Amino acid sequence: MSTTDEIKEELDSLIDDQSKLIELATDTDDTIKFGTKYQAWYSRAIKIVEALAPERLEEFGSYYLIDPKRKVMDVSNYVIQDYIKAIGARKNSYGEELWDCNNLIQIRVVNQVQILASLRSRIDSVLQDVTGHLFADLQDKELEAASKLIKASPRAAGALAGVVLERHLQRTADNHGIKLRKKAPTISDLNDPLKEKSVYGLPVWRKIQFLADIRNLCSHQKENEPTKDQVMELIEGVNGVVKTVF
């Protein structure tokens, strides 16, 4: 199961728990069962919200956490933490509770579940952004390593830069849903379909073909040694492609 599927499964499980939590929040005199179930649920849910929608984390927590600045408890600031601590509603001069704690807590739970439900559509894009940032960071480090490697071995430096380019084009093809016949496509195998699908135009295609030629010189043509200038041009060219082609 992929990471995306695991997160979706966990999110669906949390959403499905709504009915059970609401059912348990019916007896103000027995909040232990609700508290036990809810505390475990909240610990799981807060991680999902933090990962997928940090901008809604404060809102999500406000339905549970007591506001430290609260001076007087009323219907607007009575929260789930109050209920779990068995703190009841304020009473009037006749000893009658001013609000229905059970109903109010059920509403708070529903509000939290609605936030979780709204996040399902964001899973793919959020994970893609995270993966993309990590991938870009890795590419930068590999190209930096290739630049340092030129002094010791231009051939090895060029081969490393070629791997970065090949892997980036593979990821770009995946992002655009381009199916490839070969299980291990080369730069040229990737370059043609990307141009055909209008991911980029002829100038970029020619540039990538040129870079592929230098990469092949580094990786395959043992009779000819690549020059440092050629390898530096390859590294700079790959850096330009990974920054502009997605």
Side-chain angles (χ1 to χ4, degrees), residues 2-223:
S2 68
T3 301
T4 300
D5 289 336
E6 288 178 357
I7 294 176
K8 287 180 179 178
E9 185 176 277
E10 172 71 354
L11 190 57
D12 288 342
S13 174
L14 290 166
I15 294 171
D16 289 342
D17 280 340
Q18 173 181 298
S19 57
K20 184 63 177 178
L21 288 170
I22 290 177
E23 178 185 339
L24 291 173
T26 55
D27 188 357
T28 311
D29 296 324
D30 184 13
T31 61
I32 295 177
K33 290 182 179 179
F34 171 81
T36 301
K37 174 72 174 178
Y38 179 82
Q39 294 282 25
W41 181 88
Y42 181 82
S43 295
R44 292 162 55 203
I46 198 73
K47 292 179 181 179
I48 294 286
V49 178
E50 185 177 17
L52 298 181
E55 75 279 2
R56 303 202 68 178
L57 188 61
E58 183 177 353
E59 177 190 358
F60 187 85
S62 69
Y63 295 116
Y64 166 64
L65 298 170
I66 296 173
D67 185 351
K69 297 180 181 180
R70 185 178 71 182
K71 295 181 179 180
V72 178
M73 183 180 69
D74 57 35
V75 67
S76 66
N77 58 30
Y78 183 81
V79 293
I80 297 172
Q81 199 171 50
D82 290 317
Y83 186 80
I84 291 175
K85 290 181 178 180
I87 299 174
R90 291 177 57 199
K91 298 181 180 181
N92 60 23
S93 57
Y94 300 101
E96 300 170 336
E97 291 190 338
L98 295 177
W99 62 82
D100 184 340
C101 294
N102 301 105
N103 181 256
L104 196 57
I105 293 309
Q106 289 171 349
I107 293 173
R108 301 284 190 257
V109 170
V110 170
N111 289 341
Q112 288 184 318
V113 171
Q114 287 176 338
I115 291 176
L116 288 174
S118 72
L119 302 184
R120 203 177 194 286
S121 63
R122 301 184 60 174
I123 294 175
D124 292 328
S125 61
V126 169
L127 289 183
Q128 187 174 7
D129 287 344
V130 171
T131 303
H133 286 307
L134 293 174
F135 192 73
D137 185 56
L138 175 62
Q139 289 176 327
D140 288 342
K141 290 180 179 178
E142 288 178 324
L143 291 176
E144 183 180 348
S147 297
K148 294 178 179 179
L149 190 58
I150 289 180
K151 292 181 180 180
S153 174
R155 185 180 291 277
L160 177 56
V163 169
V164 173
L165 177 58
E166 188 174 88
R167 193 168 56 212
H168 182 79
L169 295 180
Q170 177 70 72
R171 179 174 171 79
T172 301
D174 292 340
N175 290 342
H176 289 270
I178 298 174
K179 303 298 181 181
L180 302 167
R181 296 179 181 178
K182 292 186 178 181
K183 292 184 178 180
T186 64
I187 293 174
S188 295
D189 294 329
L190 292 159
N191 196 24
D192 290 340
L194 287 168
K195 181 175 72 71
E196 291 170 2
K197 294 295 183 179
S198 299
V199 176
Y200 47 71
L202 186 59
V204 174
W205 178 87
R206 285 176 174 164
K207 179 68 174 179
I208 292 174
Q209 282 297 100
F210 173 71
L211 298 176
D213 289 340
I214 301 177
R215 185 268 178 93
N216 290 337
L217 176 62
C218 295
S219 301
H220 306 301
Q221 298 179 23
K222 301 297 184 181
E223 65 276 8

